[in-house]
mmCIF file of all heavy atoms in Angstrom:
data_model
loop_
_atom_site.group_PDB
_atom_site.id
_atom_site.type_symbol
_atom_site.label_atom_id
_atom_site.label_comp_id
_atom_site.label_asym_id
_atom_site.label_seq_id
_atom_site.Cartn_x
_atom_site.Cartn_y
_atom_site.Cartn_z
ATOM 1 N N ASP D 1665 -58.070 92.946 -0.080
ATOM 2 C CA ASP D 1665 -58.026 94.413 -0.457
ATOM 3 C C ASP D 1665 -57.901 95.251 0.783
ATOM 4 O O ASP D 1665 -58.349 94.833 1.878
ATOM 5 C CB ASP D 1665 -59.247 94.743 -1.214
ATOM 6 C CG ASP D 1665 -59.030 95.954 -2.149
ATOM 7 O OD1 ASP D 1665 -57.937 96.521 -2.126
ATOM 8 O OD2 ASP D 1665 -59.977 96.309 -2.845
ATOM 9 N N ASP D 1666 -57.304 96.405 0.668
ATOM 10 C CA ASP D 1666 -57.223 97.406 1.700
ATOM 11 C C ASP D 1666 -56.657 96.800 3.021
ATOM 12 O O ASP D 1666 -57.153 97.120 4.127
ATOM 13 C CB ASP D 1666 -58.605 98.059 2.030
ATOM 14 C CG ASP D 1666 -59.182 98.624 0.741
ATOM 15 O OD1 ASP D 1666 -58.452 98.795 -0.262
ATOM 16 O OD2 ASP D 1666 -60.415 98.854 0.727
ATOM 17 N N ASP D 1688 -53.245 98.807 1.976
ATOM 18 C CA ASP D 1688 -54.112 99.971 1.756
ATOM 19 C C ASP D 1688 -53.313 101.243 1.467
ATOM 20 O O ASP D 1688 -52.235 101.471 1.987
ATOM 21 C CB ASP D 1688 -54.961 100.224 3.000
ATOM 22 C CG ASP D 1688 -56.030 101.234 2.732
ATOM 23 O OD1 ASP D 1688 -56.874 100.949 1.849
ATOM 24 O OD2 ASP D 1688 -56.020 102.309 3.379
ATOM 25 N N GLU D 1722 -50.928 99.722 -2.899
ATOM 26 C CA GLU D 1722 -51.870 100.570 -3.627
ATOM 27 C C GLU D 1722 -51.555 101.995 -3.465
ATOM 28 O O GLU D 1722 -50.893 102.389 -2.456
ATOM 29 C CB GLU D 1722 -53.290 100.310 -3.029
ATOM 30 C CG GLU D 1722 -53.837 98.953 -3.222
ATOM 31 C CD GLU D 1722 -55.305 98.917 -2.800
ATOM 32 O OE1 GLU D 1722 -55.586 98.948 -1.560
ATOM 33 O OE2 GLU D 1722 -56.144 98.783 -3.681
HETATM 34 MG MG1 MG M 907 -57.741 98.779 -2.155
#
Side-chain angles (χ1 to χ4, degrees):
D1665 203 358
D1666 305 345
D1688 190 61
E1722 295 188 287

